[in-house]
Amino acid sequence: MAAETTTPHALLVMEEERRADVYPAHVLADIGHLVRWRAPALTRDALLRDPGVLEGVDVLLTGWGAPVLDADLLAHAPDLSAVMVAAGSVRHLTTPAFWARGVPIVSAARANAVPVAEFSLAQILLGLKQVHRLGREAAEARRFPHDPRVPGAYGSRVGLLGLGEIGRLVAEHLRHFDVEVLACDPVVEPAAARELDVRLVAIEVLFASSDVVSVHAPLLPETEGLVGARLMSLLPEGATLVNTARGAVLDEPEVIGVLRDRPDLTAVLDVTWPEPPDPGSPLFTLPNVLLTPHIAGAMGGERARLGELVRDELRRLVRGEPLRHAVEPARAATRA
């Protein structure tokens, strides 16, 4: 699609609440120089009430609150040549009918991975110092322990459960520290792990050997309830589990049982299942659980990164350049 001969028509469809964060004024201004707007921005519900607005749309821009690209909706978009999603996963909006069209779809997963990896790194480093455990023990005893033994960030081990977009970025961050990084991911080749200075191990070795385990596995039938009592019981004394992936990757009743029996362990849970937990859930009261309300991903101004990635991909599309963040159909099902 050459810029000098064709200016694509675009439509922005996403929820209103986060639209200004994801597509701030400077991003929309840049996009406005690349496309002609088919109509003002819409929500998914507004689009479903008037799907005819898709007639003549070449590029669909979206984010949170994206419409499901099923056969009925696509029938109204005969000219659609690209979809660009300012969010991470595209699993919830793609269908067999969409993939059959052969339309490229861009995901901003790389941009969303940045704050998740930063949050994970912060919790990993705090876990290596056992900040959460020592803090609660000091508060309970009303005194400081004498010369506490902590792994620290020298010669200790960090385990990454999953080496997808976020897990890889966490591994890159950990290169700056004197730690050994282990990982478990059945679809990652050993050569790719070596490039990240990561040693692939079995999941049992990962949990038994790591001072901190950070979960980055996508939620798939194979990973639902993956982390339960058996793996949690393998964690070394004082270890920390960090979950910024999906709550259902943990078998929460079993994890809670181990955390009750082992007050030396700490769980930092940014995601739960259900989310939020039921009001009576022990996750709210267990002293060795730190709950955060799904804040690891892009929040506030951080969300502009996602819109900027979409803008940059749109510019490449208009110039006829290869897209850098298009999702391959075979990989879409394994993204979080």
Side-chain angles (χ1 to χ4, degrees):
M1 186 179 297
E4 66 272 17
T5 59
T6 305
T7 299
H9 287 81
L11 182 66
L12 173 57
V13 180
M14 69 171 291
E15 67 176 42
E16 291 183 5
E17 182 179 2
R18 288 179 274 198
R19 186 190 297 156
D21 285 344
V22 175
Y23 292 99
H26 73 279
V27 172
L28 286 180
D30 292 343
I31 292 175
H33 293 302
L34 299 169
V35 303
R36 294 177 184 172
W37 292 111
R38 175 70 175 82
L42 299 174
T43 63
R44 174 174 52 200
D45 290 343
L47 175 65
L48 294 179
R49 288 193 297 269
D50 182 21
V53 73
L54 287 168
E55 182 76 31
V57 169
D58 301 296
V59 182
L60 177 64
L61 306 177
T62 187
W64 282 279
V68 176
L69 302 170
D70 57 20
D72 290 340
L73 195 66
L74 291 169
H76 294 278
D79 301 318
L80 190 66
S81 60
V83 178
M84 302 203 169
V85 185
S89 175
V90 300
R91 279 201 297 161
H92 64 290
L93 69 150
T94 51
T95 65
F98 171 78
W99 293 117
R101 283 276 294 267
V103 173
I105 184 167
V106 164
S107 163
R110 180 67 180 182
N112 193 54
V114 173
V116 182
E118 291 171 347
F119 180 95
S120 301
L121 176 65
Q123 297 301 330
I124 288 168
L125 295 176
L126 290 173
L128 291 175
K129 283 289 191 179
Q130 297 192 2
V131 167
H132 306 302
R133 178 181 68 83
L134 293 173
R136 64 179 177 264
E137 289 180 358
E140 182 179 347
R142 302 291 180 97
R143 59 180 177 82
F144 287 172
H146 173 70
D147 191 26
R149 308 301 296 176
V150 300
Y154 184 83
S156 50
R157 284 178 173 167
V158 176
L160 303 179
L161 182 55
L163 275 179
E165 198 86 57
I166 297 169
R168 289 169 186 259
L169 191 52
V170 174
E172 290 175 8
H173 288 328
L174 288 170
R175 281 176 155 174
H176 300 287
F177 301 90
D178 293 318
V179 298
E180 181 183 7
V181 182
L182 311 179
C184 177
D185 191 319
V187 301
V188 171
E189 295 294 332
R194 286 194 296 271
E195 289 180 2
L196 292 166
D197 294 331
V198 169
R199 180 161 64 93
L200 291 176
V201 296
I203 193 169
E204 294 82 4
V205 175
L206 186 85
F207 274 77
S209 305
S210 301
D211 301 295
V212 178
V213 172
S214 191
V215 179
H216 303 289
L219 180 58
L220 304 170
E222 300 83 0
T223 62
E224 185 173 355
L226 176 64
V227 179
R230 182 178 68 89
L231 292 176
M232 289 292 294
S233 298
L234 295 175
L235 287 169
E237 183 176 357
T240 299
L241 176 76
V242 181
N243 188 12
T244 58
R246 289 290 185 267
V249 174
L250 273 56
D251 184 326
E252 283 187 0
E254 291 192 7
V255 169
I256 287 169
V258 174
L259 291 171
R260 278 176 170 153
D261 293 340
R262 290 193 55 186
D264 63 292
L265 299 179
T266 298
V268 179
L269 305 179
D270 188 56
V271 289
T272 60
W273 184 254
E275 192 170 292
D278 293 328
S281 171
L283 294 177
F284 285 117
T285 55
L286 278 170
N288 53 345
V289 172
L290 173 63
L291 278 181
T292 54
H294 206 145
I295 58 171
M299 303 289 291
E302 294 174 326
R303 294 173 180 150
R305 281 194 185 104
L306 283 69
E308 290 169 352
L309 182 148
V310 163
R311 174 204 60 198
D312 294 345
E313 287 286 79
L314 181 60
R315 184 179 291 122
R316 294 184 189 101
L317 181 77
V318 170
R319 292 175 176 174
E321 300 171 355
L323 298 173
R324 296 180 181 174
H325 300 281
V327 180
E328 298 175 9
R331 292 190 60 207
T334 62
R335 286 178 178 250

